[in-house]
Amino acid sequence: MNRPDVQEALHANVTRLTHDWEPCSDVIQKWVDSPSTIIPHLKELMANGLQVWIFSGDIDGRVPVTSTKYSINKMKLPIKTAWHPWFLTKDQVGGYTQVYEGDLTFATVREAGHQVPSYQPARAFSLIKHFLEGKPLPDISRHN
């Protein structure tokens, strides 16, 4: 993330920060403007017809999968596609997913921690690719 070619490709660090990017830092000492929940924001996005994908690394110790599932359950959304594995390749499970009415997809990423792309770049890429293409995650019959 500190390489100039990567920053250029991401349109990042255009202001030329005086410190390098790092996964965790002490640059922000106190963060006090965080909402207690983002559920109202998710509902607003969905009400405006936008697809919403929430993903969690299945070994994330900071925001565990169960915590994310509890939050989604508070929205009381009907299930459109039941919990099932998604595949990175024909024989490699990328994680598990469930789709809710209102275009909300929840996906886990197998063997990924809090910063999913750092742990599982290929699985993270597949997740983002399918989101941007507006396609569901590949199941056993669609493993592309």
Side-chain angles (χ1 to χ4, degrees):
M1 297 298 283
N2 291 312
R3 288 182 12 205
D5 60 321
V6 172
Q7 291 177 348
E8 183 179 349
L10 294 173
H11 306 284
N13 199 15
V14 295
T15 59
R16 301 291 167 224
L17 296 172
T18 59
H19 53 278
D20 285 343
W21 180 89
E22 53 186 297
C24 294
S25 75
D26 58 2
V27 171
I28 298 173
Q29 295 291 319
K30 190 172 182 182
W31 187 9
V32 296
D33 65 345
S34 177
S36 61
T37 180
I38 63 160
I39 290 174
H41 299 294
L42 296 175
K43 287 181 177 180
E44 182 180 351
L45 293 170
M46 292 165 55
N48 284 289
L50 297 173
Q51 68 174 349
V52 174
W53 282 31
I54 300 171
F55 62 92
S56 291
D58 67 3
I59 58 171
D60 184 347
R62 189 172 231 9
V63 183
V65 169
T66 51
S67 179
T68 304
K69 286 182 80 169
Y70 287 146
S71 295
I72 293 170
N73 288 344
K74 287 187 178 212
M75 297 173 67
K76 299 186 185 330
L77 299 170
I79 295 171
K80 184 175 175 181
T81 306
W83 188 253
H84 67 279
W86 66 270
F87 288 77
L88 183 62
T89 64
K90 181 175 76 168
D91 57 354
Q92 186 182 130
V93 173
Y96 291 82
T97 186
Q98 183 158 292
V99 181
Y100 298 86
E101 295 290 337
D103 231 0
L104 174 79
T105 297
F106 173 57
T108 67
V109 180
R110 191 170 63 87
E111 298 178 351
H114 189 62
Q115 295 169 334
V116 170
S118 296
Y119 286 83
Q120 293 295 330
R123 292 176 186 151
F125 178 74
S126 180
L127 188 81
I128 292 167
K129 178 178 175 272
H130 285 85
F131 170 77
L132 292 174
E133 291 175 349
K135 295 179 180 176
L137 287 164
D139 62 21
I140 196 72
S141 64
R142 294 184 315 260
H143 60 273
N144 50 14

